């Protein structure tokens, strides 16, 4: 038999992650049984656990994967843009009746991470090593914005980073609950304005025209 | 036998709610078995389910109780103050090593509400009728602040309400995860400043002295 290629392994790994993401989102960590994981990935348990040691490793890989994708958007466009994308995805999903009951799959992952961080000390230790990516990406982006003169300079960058992360956390929780989000665009405008260079710094009397 | 007094019934109900709160916080909704509820309340299952039809009714009563207490603080002192109180409670709990692993009990309730809203359509319907108290209290408080000239008037009160609620949601999620919160005081200052009347509205050149 020919050895399986790296491309094949990568594709298989991706197939497992995609199926598992939707399984965890719909059933939660405990409810994502091996049988259900087989159904949503379309693979046997043997194949699944060839790629991931156990369910916990699979879940961590998934959460890490989500965090990485998000960090790369943050680096390019900032955390507020990530939040705006979330709102747009939600609006699109609501036009798709089949998905209306299921907000973006990774929301489920995030919420499940939250729950397990609270109840599972061992998971907390494993997660701590992996969770800083988004903070670092957000902070670096803000530092570049400050250098470009676009950021307010009367508040420490660490405080602005924590502020944006707190709002992000709130948005994730809000969306994960399936609460209405149509009115949150102006809220994100306010959030963005709150970290930008103050208009008075430009000596502008009317307060308009922030960069 | 004498009939039990209303005071006695109220005290018993309170005893059940307090014990159940800590049970749900530590074990989650599913993990809060009847046996564990008996242990944490110090009462028999017969006594517990004399006061509450079933576990779901008990949980809803608890969540409603928490929301009511929070709404009354909001009416008096505003939602940002509720958040500051949360931070202070966390800091106090961290000095108490026995409680360090268990952030404020009601955080568990809130997180469990979040999880069930996402996964349980029937619960979502029951909860929807009860969940608006905090929004109403926050909005009313902001309207009074605006009348008193303390609120910015270039952003709709509904947007400011949603903004504060989003931050609150983020803070709850953050604390429930057991993440470090020592640095969040200045973040709440920023949040508060973001909803206050703009300093330029006072014609102040230095930007200090907001009300």
């Amino acid at each position: 038999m020919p050895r399986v290629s790296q491309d094949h392994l990568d594709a298989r790994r991706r197939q497992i992650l995609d199926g598992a993401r939707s399984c965890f989102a719909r059933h939660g960590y405990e409810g994502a049984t091996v049988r259900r994981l087989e159904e949503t990935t379309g693979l046997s348990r043997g194949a699944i656990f060839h790629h991931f040691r156990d369910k916990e490793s699979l879940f961590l890989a998934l959460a890490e994967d989500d965090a990485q994708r998000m960090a790369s958007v943050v680096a390019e466009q900032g955390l507020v843009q990530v939040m705006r994308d979330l709102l747009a995805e939600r609006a699109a999903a609501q036009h798709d009746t089949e998905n209306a009951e299921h907000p973006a799959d990774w929301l489920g992952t995030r919420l499940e991470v939250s729950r397990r961080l609270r109840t599972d000390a061992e998971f907390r230790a494993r997660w701590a090593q992996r969770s800083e990516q988004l903070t670092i990406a957000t902070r670096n982006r803000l530092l570049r914005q400050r250098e470009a003169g676009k950021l307010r300079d009367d508040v420490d960058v660490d405080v602005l980073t924590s502020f944006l992360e707190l709002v992000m956390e709130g948005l994730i929780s809000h969306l994960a609950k399936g609460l209405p989000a149509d009115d949150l665009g102006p809220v994100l405008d306010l959030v963005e304005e709150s970290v930008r260079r103050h208009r008075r710094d430009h000596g502008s009397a009317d307060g308009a025209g922030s960069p």
Side-chain angles (χ1 to χ4, degrees), chain A residues 28-57:
Chain A
Y29 184 81
E30 303 305 334
T33 58
V34 173
R35 181 179 296 272
R36 280 178 171 154
L37 285 167
E38 287 181 320
E39 280 167 19
T40 55
T41 60
L43 292 169
S44 71
R45 60 193 69 199
I48 294 170
F49 296 114
H50 174 70
H51 289 264
F52 298 94
R53 199 180 64 201
D54 51 24
K55 191 164 94 168
E56 167 134 336
S57 299

Side-chain angles (χ1 to χ4, degrees), chain A residues 10-200:
Chain A
D10 289 349
R12 191 47 60 96
R13 188 184 150 89
R14 171 60 41 207
Q15 179 182 357
I16 296 168
L17 286 175
D18 289 345
R21 177 176 287 109
S22 114
C23 191
F24 285 127
R26 277 154 188 66
H27 304 292
Y29 184 81
E30 303 305 334
T33 58
V34 173
R35 181 179 296 272
R36 280 178 171 154
L37 285 167
E38 287 181 320
E39 280 167 19
T40 55
T41 60
L43 292 169
S44 71
R45 60 193 69 199
I48 294 170
F49 296 114
H50 174 70
H51 289 264
F52 298 94
R53 199 180 64 201
D54 51 24
K55 191 164 94 168
E56 167 134 336
S57 299
L58 174 54
F59 181 74
L60 272 169
L62 201 57
E64 190 173 9
D65 191 54
D66 288 346
Q68 247 162 23
R69 287 194 290 173
M70 216 178 297
S72 77
V73 178
V74 168
E76 295 297 318
Q77 304 177 276
L79 194 58
V80 175
Q81 187 58 45
V82 172
M83 297 191 234
R84 292 193 195 280
D85 291 348
L86 280 177
L87 288 185
E89 276 171 39
R90 154 66 74 87
Q94 282 181 333
H95 286 280
D96 174 357
T97 47
E98 192 161 308
N99 284 326
E101 283 293 300
H102 299 294
D105 284 346
W106 64 264
L107 285 178
T109 316
R110 292 288 300 231
L111 209 66
E112 192 59 33
V113 166
S114 301
R115 196 184 69 80
R116 303 197 69 213
L117 284 171
R118 188 170 55 84
T119 56
D120 181 342
E122 195 185 328
F123 179 81
R124 199 151 56 226
R126 289 185 71 176
W127 180 249
Q129 303 162 15
R130 292 166 161 84
S131 65
E132 278 186 275
Q133 292 180 72
L134 199 62
T135 302
I136 292 168
T138 301
R139 190 170 187 281
N140 285 343
R141 162 94 183 170
L142 288 176
L143 285 171
R144 289 197 303 278
Q145 295 285 92
R146 176 161 286 177
E147 276 164 28
K150 292 178 179 171
L151 206 69
R152 63 189 297 171
D153 50 17
D154 59 338
V155 176
D156 194 90
V157 164
D158 289 332
V159 173
L160 298 177
T161 303
S162 298
F163 169 68
L164 291 181
E165 288 191 312
L166 209 58
V167 175
M168 174 71 176
E169 194 64 49
L171 182 65
I172 286 168
S173 177
H174 186 93
L175 294 176
K177 286 179 187 174
L179 296 175
D182 302 340
D183 58 339
L184 290 183
V187 173
L188 296 185
D189 294 340
L190 175 59
V191 169
E192 191 151 43
E193 186 224 281
S194 300
V195 302
R196 279 189 175 165
R197 178 179 279 276
H198 272 193
R199 291 157 299 196
R200 63 188 159 80

